Amino acid sequence: MGISSLILLLLVMSIVLFVYGVVQKSKTAKRIAFGLFVASVGLAGFVVFLIGYM
């Protein structure tokens, strides 16, 4: 399992959780989704930085 598929999985999970949070009107689900989204974007940025550095 590559790092890019992990990033994609995190993004998909955050989108699904966000939709669930909107449907259930749950603030915690939205917060978790936002955290996952930030984590996946951060991870993607870190990977791009590593590739550019090497």
Side-chain angles (χ1 to χ4, degrees):
M1 187 162 160
I3 195 88
S4 55
S5 54
L6 182 72
I7 294 168
L8 275 174
L9 185 73
L10 276 172
L11 273 172
V12 168
M13 277 170 57
S14 68
I15 291 166
V16 168
L17 258 174
F18 184 74
V19 169
Y20 173 79
V22 168
V23 169
Q24 297 290 321
K25 294 180 178 64
S26 161
K27 280 198 173 113
T28 18
K30 280 190 209 166
R31 281 194 196 126
I32 295 168
F34 183 69
L36 275 176
F37 180 73
V38 167
S40 59
V41 167
L43 195 62
F46 180 67
V47 168
V48 167
F49 172 75
L50 269 184
I51 292 170
Y53 191 71
M54 297 190 173

